[in-house]
Amino acid sequence: MSQLQQCRRLLERAEELRFEDPREALRMAESARDQVAALDREEIGVGNWFALQADAWGVFGSALRSVSDLGDSEGALNVAIAFLMAPEVGDQGDPLAYAHLAQRAAYLRCDQGRYAEALELIDEAISIYCSEGAGQAAAGALADRGLILGRAGRKEEAIVHLGEALEQLDPDKNPRNFLAAVHNTALYMHELADNSPRVNNLALKWLKLAYRCHTLLPPESLSVLKLRTLRGLTAVRLGRVEQGIDELWQAQEGFQRLGAAYEQSLTLLHLASIYQNLGRADEVKRVAGLLFPVFQSLKIDREASVALMLFYNAAQAESATLDLIDRVSSTLREAQVRSLRRGDSR
Amino acid sequence: MSDNTHDDDPNPEAEAQALRDEIATGWKLATGPALEEIRRLVRKSELSQRKVEERVGFSKGYLSQLLARNLDLKLWHVLAILDALGLDLGEFFHRVYPATRFPALERFQRTSKPLSPELEEALSKLYKYGVESLDELRSRVGRCEQAVAKLEEMGYFDGRRRSRRTEGS
């Protein structure tokens, strides 16, 4: 295998691994970036060399985003853009490469909570894909548009976009995008499901479909564990409380093994709410105790720590309330957004 | 405590404008594609470099210094050289800064923070200083930071203005 092929393989592997093991993906992306930089410019052609540098920095930027280092992710994507727009490339750059970068940048802006900019970037990517006749890539980007709208709180619109994307996505050619679109539809349907029994029923169908789609993934992957949380919450909502609680415990243990402290905290807080509703004060106390070390590993800011302390003390005195648990959840979410915006949680 | 930076400065508007001009003309032209285009035009011209210098009123060797980046290429240099070569300014800028093809990506660049020291170090280690677009990215960060610091010092940012108003009220 030539050095060039080896670099391309490494970049593909780093990109794939991002969804299963973000830290390993980052290590691999960094190594690929260094190897790509060492390629001989004359040997592979100046245009190819620049395109490959842009690709490597793009993959590296996305890997940084996956471990929540948003500051350096932004920097790496800017380096990728600088390579792609270099005078040496001129007008010869592959339009699809611009679209891929715009898509990566859209995800980053979405994580930073800058949704208007994220939508502008994803629209640019969709328009390039369409004009280049890249139908599957355009459908994938349409699903991303759905995700951005959902994260911005526009869940009904998100579901419409995801539905359109799913009509066009070919699961054989584009399995990851297909899975993500089904997963996100199930998630937004679940969040909207309180409103009516019809929506509730539909949410359940989407959840089952999402689970079927994920059977090929490892059971400990982040997306399967998130679905497991969703399945636990749905079971509780449908009255199968013990089954739901069991699912949630298993999900939180999986998150713990993966080191996904934020997801683990949210699942524990779901459990605290359910136990509180059932009046099982001992269990609330146990969950409050478990939350402490997890919060510590998140290096969460003072406001969230104070909220947790209040909840913990109330749980010990058996006087916790649902409002108090909701407050811990919302301060945790806000702290996470603040931390992502600062890009300092690496 | 009062902030009297503004009061000590006889004409902050003019100084800020000069700084903005410098940002818009000086660094961009010196490091960007404008210099390359001027080089190309001078090479392509039937006039010798000396003849161009004479027409513009530059001293002997001044043009070579500009083209070799030993001197900063300013907007007035470009205007004078194009005039001496009998070329159209609009056409020149259209060629150097064509209408953007990817507005969202370019806005992303403009709204991004400077590179972190870690990334700067990685770039220096991996590419040294042979890639022009990266050199530009680096120098843009450095010069923008200086300009921003100076504008801040002069009280030209909203945050400073707001704080001054608060102090005054």
Side-chain angles (χ1 to χ4, degrees), chain A residues 19-308:
Chain A
F19 302 94
E20 305 306 331
D21 187 348
R23 289 193 184 278
E24 179 57 17
L26 177 60
R27 196 196 58 73
M28 200 175 275
E30 196 166 1
S31 159
R33 180 202 72 181
D34 293 356
Q35 290 187 38
V36 164
L39 288 171
D40 189 324
R41 211 188 295 196
E42 305 310 320
E43 198 181 309
I44 64 169
V46 173
N48 278 339
W49 189 84
F50 272 85
L52 211 54
Q53 305 306 315
D55 203 17
W57 279 89
V59 171
F60 180 54
S62 291
L64 284 163
R65 185 182 65 78
S66 298
V67 297
S68 304
D69 187 348
L70 303 195
D72 271 356
S73 172
E74 187 176 85
L77 292 181
N78 268 293
V79 175
I81 296 170
F83 273 116
L84 213 53
M85 294 187 176
E88 290 87 341
V89 178
D91 290 337
Q92 306 303 310
D94 176 9
L96 293 178
Y98 290 94
H100 287 149
L101 258 185
Q103 208 169 356
R104 291 184 195 282
Y107 267 124
L108 174 70
R109 288 291 186 247
C110 181
D111 276 1
Q112 289 170 322
R114 292 160 69 169
Y115 301 115
E117 290 167 73
L119 287 171
E120 190 189 22
L121 283 157
I122 204 68
D123 285 346
E124 190 156 287
I126 292 171
S127 129
I128 300 171
Y129 287 137
C130 289
S131 64
E132 292 296 310
Q136 282 301 299
L142 194 62
D144 291 346
R145 194 175 207 282
L147 172 80
I148 296 165
L149 286 166
R151 295 266 297 275
R154 293 156 64 179
K155 296 200 170 70
E156 287 91 345
E157 283 175 78
I159 285 171
V160 172
H161 275 78
L162 288 165
E164 272 180 47
L166 280 168
E167 271 179 30
Q168 295 166 42
L169 277 171
D170 181 340
D172 291 330
K173 288 184 189 161
N174 224 332
R176 193 167 293 284
N177 278 336
F178 189 84
L179 278 180
V182 172
H183 185 130
N184 289 324
T185 307
L187 176 70
Y188 299 142
M189 288 301 295
H190 173 86
E191 287 174 7
L192 291 171
D194 275 341
N195 301 333
S196 79
R198 201 174 69 83
V199 182
N200 234 342
N201 205 19
L202 203 53
L204 199 60
K205 282 184 180 164
W206 274 103
L207 182 58
K208 282 180 181 163
L209 176 64
Y211 235 89
R212 271 217 314 276
C213 289
H214 283 72
T215 47
L216 290 178
L217 289 184
E220 289 270 295
S221 70
L222 207 56
S223 48
V224 171
L225 290 170
K226 282 182 189 174
L227 272 181
R228 194 150 207 180
T229 303
L230 210 54
R231 195 159 73 170
L233 292 173
T234 305
V236 173
R237 188 188 279 170
L238 294 172
R240 300 196 295 266
V241 180
E242 290 309 320
Q243 183 196 334
I245 287 175
D246 189 45
E247 286 271 9
L248 289 168
W249 275 113
Q250 288 187 41
Q252 85 84 29
E253 281 159 17
F255 288 133
Q256 186 180 24
R257 281 192 288 272
L258 284 186
Y262 175 69
E263 298 293 343
Q264 190 192 354
S265 304
L266 287 180
T267 308
L268 281 169
L269 285 162
H270 285 311
L271 280 164
S273 294
I274 294 163
Y275 286 134
Q276 181 65 31
N277 255 335
L278 295 170
R280 287 157 68 173
D282 278 357
E283 295 292 357
V284 177
K285 216 182 281 186
R286 178 160 79 101
V287 172
L290 287 173
L291 272 166
F292 253 105
V294 190
F295 261 54
Q296 251 172 0
S297 71
L298 274 170
K299 292 184 188 133
I300 226 72
D301 59 21
R302 199 174 164 273
E303 201 181 337
S305 303
V306 169
L308 177 64

Side-chain angles (χ1 to χ4, degrees), chain B residues 140-160:
Chain B
R140 186 174 67 191
V141 168
R143 300 192 80 132
C144 279
E145 277 180 344
Q146 283 168 21
V148 166
K150 192 161 179 190
L151 284 170
E152 266 179 342
E153 200 181 295
M154 290 161 68
Y156 265 78
F157 278 147
D158 281 356
R160 289 291 297 268

